[in-house]
Amino acid sequence: MEYATQMEAAKKGILTQQMQSVAAQEQIAPETLLQRVAAGTVVIPANHHHKSLRPHGIGQGLSTKINVNLGISGDCRDYTCELAKAKLALQFDAEAIMDLSNYGKTNTFRKQLLELSTAMVGTVPMYDAVGYLEKDLRDIKAKDFLEVVRAHAEEGVDFVTIHAGINRKSIDSFERSGRRMNIVSRGGSLIYAWMKMTGNENPFFEYFDDLMDILYAHDVTISLGDAMRPGCIDDATDAAQVSELVELGLLTERAWSHHVQVMIEGPGHMMLQEIAPNMQMEKRLCHNAPFYVLGPLVTDIAPGYDHITSAIGGAVAAAAGADFLCYVTPAEHLRLPSLPDVKEGILAAKIAAHAGDLVKNVPGARAWDNRMGDARRALDWGAMFKEALDREKAEAYFQSAHPAEKNTCTMCGKMCAVRNMNRILQGESVSLQ
């Protein structure tokens, strides 16, 4: 093969099958997409071994994608339920699924997920290290961590979150900052703990070039994790977060020199007015690499409703340039999400992503809303349900109540503005009796 990764192919001017597929989906010229992949402003995570994958692009000029997190924990170990969540994510066209399982041997489930999933599959190998290596965190050697990454790459994972930006230099800012919530990234906290217990440098930073060799061989996209992301609005855009982002920008260029595709992960909690400047700062410091954000959650006071606080921030982030939204469910901060929680999280993220696409003038985004507008003007309920993001819920709501006036709903009945405007503009009289 003339190339190992989508980026390497693009740099050589080779238009891959995956690029052609993404260009058709996104309604852009294949040559334009090729240039963006070569520049690193678009990524197409597509591991050679993920045979069921329907490729998607993330980045400049493309529709905003969403990711669905799932996976078992030590307290909740039902893989059947997690597989059902994956099927739900695919039903609602989530473009990515991350397996965040963090207990025991996880590879059997991961292989099942890769066989099933037409969506991109991501992992955080750090979560799997203790179970995979069968060692306590303190006893894991630096290069052991790379073997976990290698195993995930060989299984077919399309992108991996690697917290390589948390190093001795960046943790100095954290330790002096007096953060309210400290480190809330699970992977970041484990790396920090390992560094403090062993006295060593972050192995993913120290052996970054070796890590790139593994990812290059299988075309695994690196999602440079935000270990210092704010876990409450009071910690947003502080020295710890920004110092890590500077490191991620430097690591981006190193990854690109190995022809490895890169995404940058971003903030979790911040006030509304900080979101757009953070999107711009990431694009500037990380050379316009695609930005992957969790939320952001715009307030800390709504446990049980964090899919809403996340969707508000996600819409603003997408409109300001974020390329990839990680969903948040109502169970965030409270428990492992149930199937209904997952559905709520998916739909909230999809709404936020589409709201951002309208602002970014993504091809086809406004046409979808226009089709709904036309269906509503015509009081064509079948067409409305067809365009609805969640047809099942919309149809069930409508059918649960029976208006006296045909083709209206029980909100307005004969006072329906649409019905009455249609009649009067057609020269008919309007009667409310």
Side-chain angles (χ1 to χ4, degrees):
M1 185 183 283
E2 298 178 63
Y3 60 89
T5 71
Q6 295 293 318
M7 172 173 261
E8 186 176 28
K11 288 177 180 178
K12 293 182 175 181
I14 300 170
L15 190 65
T16 66
Q17 183 179 351
Q18 290 85 355
M19 292 179 207
Q20 293 177 50
S21 175
V22 169
Q25 290 172 38
E26 302 284 349
Q27 303 175 46
I28 65 170
E31 295 74 20
T32 300
L33 181 66
L34 183 145
Q35 292 169 3
R36 293 173 185 172
V37 175
T41 62
V42 166
V43 298
I44 303 176
N47 188 311
H48 305 156
H49 310 299
H50 189 180
K51 302 304 182 186
S52 62
L53 176 69
R54 180 191 176 205
H56 291 282
I58 302 168
Q60 181 187 356
L62 307 186
S63 59
T64 308
K65 307 304 187 296
I66 75 158
N67 171 69
V68 171
N69 288 340
L70 49 82
I72 66 156
S73 68
D75 292 312
C76 299
R77 308 176 197 174
D78 186 350
Y79 278 123
T80 302
C81 181
E82 299 312 299
L83 208 58
K85 293 176 186 177
K87 292 175 181 176
L88 188 64
L90 297 174
Q91 177 188 334
F92 283 99
D93 298 320
E95 293 86 6
I97 297 171
M98 287 197 79
D99 175 18
L100 305 187
S101 296
N102 58 49
Y103 177 84
K105 296 294 186 182
T106 62
N107 61 327
T108 299
F109 172 72
R110 194 159 48 249
K111 289 174 182 176
Q112 290 177 328
L113 178 61
L114 285 160
E115 288 174 5
L116 167 76
S117 181
T118 54
M120 301 173 280
V121 173
T123 61
V124 186
M126 186 67 198
Y127 296 176
D128 197 27
V130 173
Y132 179 85
L133 296 167
E134 297 183 329
K135 295 180 180 179
D136 191 42
L137 182 63
R138 181 194 295 271
D139 299 325
I140 297 175
K141 303 302 180 187
K143 291 254 181 142
D144 288 342
F145 290 111
L146 300 187
E147 291 310 307
V148 183
V149 177
R150 189 188 308 277
H152 286 217
E154 289 175 349
E155 289 167 6
V157 168
D158 301 296
F159 65 99
V160 289
T161 292
I162 302 291
H163 298 92
I166 176 173
N167 56 26
R168 286 173 175 166
K169 181 179 178 181
S170 62
I171 65 174
D172 179 65
S173 296
F174 158 69
E175 291 175 341
R176 290 191 290 153
S177 66
R179 270 188 155 194
R180 186 175 296 274
M181 281 287 292
N182 294 317
I183 295 175
V184 300
S185 159
R186 183 166 34 178
S189 67
L190 292 173
I191 288 287
Y192 179 79
W194 185 88
M195 291 172 68
K196 298 301 284 188
M197 288 190 295
T198 65
N200 295 328
E201 178 58 280
N202 178 349
F204 295 118
F205 178 78
E206 184 175 4
Y207 297 103
F208 191 76
D209 293 324
D210 294 336
L211 174 65
M212 291 303 100
D213 290 342
I214 296 169
L215 303 186
Y216 169 80
H218 305 278
D219 197 3
V220 178
T221 298
I222 186 169
S223 188
L224 285 168
D226 51 341
M228 299 293 186
R229 70 172 179 266
C232 63
I233 60 170
D234 199 45
D235 291 341
T237 324
D238 68 353
Q241 179 196 331
V242 176
S243 65
E244 182 185 34
L245 189 61
V246 171
E247 294 294 324
L248 298 185
L250 298 172
L251 291 172
T252 296
E253 292 185 303
R254 285 178 62 184
W256 284 347
S257 72
H258 289 265
H259 313 301
V260 171
Q261 301 184 96
V262 178
M263 296 187 290
I264 307 295
E265 296 188 11
H269 295 239
M270 60 177 45
M271 290 189 291
L272 276 168
Q273 76 272 20
E274 293 182 79
I275 295 173
N278 265 266
M279 303 306 107
Q280 295 160 7
M281 179 170 60
E282 181 276 342
K283 294 291 185 178
R284 175 68 181 87
L285 293 176
C286 298
H287 322 290
N288 293 307
F291 203 16
Y292 175 23
V293 298
L294 178 74
L297 283 70
V298 296
T299 180
D300 301 328
I301 63 166
Y305 298 91
D306 276 329
H307 59 310
I308 297 174
T309 62
S310 171
I312 294 168
V316 175
D323 306 289
F324 194 18
L325 305 182
C326 187
Y327 91 150
V328 171
T329 78
E332 185 79 2
H333 304 113
L334 301 172
R335 69 175 190 198
L336 198 72
S338 65
L339 270 171
D341 294 332
V342 168
K343 181 179 177 180
E344 291 293 312
I346 291 169
L347 288 162
K350 294 287 279 189
I351 292 165
H354 182 69
D357 287 348
L358 289 169
V359 176
K360 291 188 285 194
N361 200 27
V362 169
R366 187 157 186 162
W368 187 2
D369 288 76
N370 288 344
R371 291 194 300 272
M372 179 62 87
D374 291 342
R376 284 176 168 158
R377 185 187 67 234
L379 289 172
D380 185 341
W381 295 96
M384 287 185 237
F385 299 143
K386 181 180 178 182
E387 299 301 334
L389 195 58
D390 182 359
R391 175 173 187 150
E392 181 182 350
K393 183 172 184 177
E395 210 159 4
Y397 268 53
F398 177 72
Q399 292 176 353
S400 68
H402 303 286
E405 182 68 19
K406 184 181 178 182
N407 288 334
T408 67
C409 76
T410 55
M411 173 68 78
C412 299
K414 288 183 179 180
M415 289 190 179
C416 173
V418 177
R419 164 191 178 271
N420 293 335
M421 285 303 299
N422 287 345
R423 289 191 174 189
I424 204 71
L425 290 173
Q426 291 168 8
E428 301 175 17
S429 62
V430 173
S431 173
L432 303 180
Q433 300 300 317

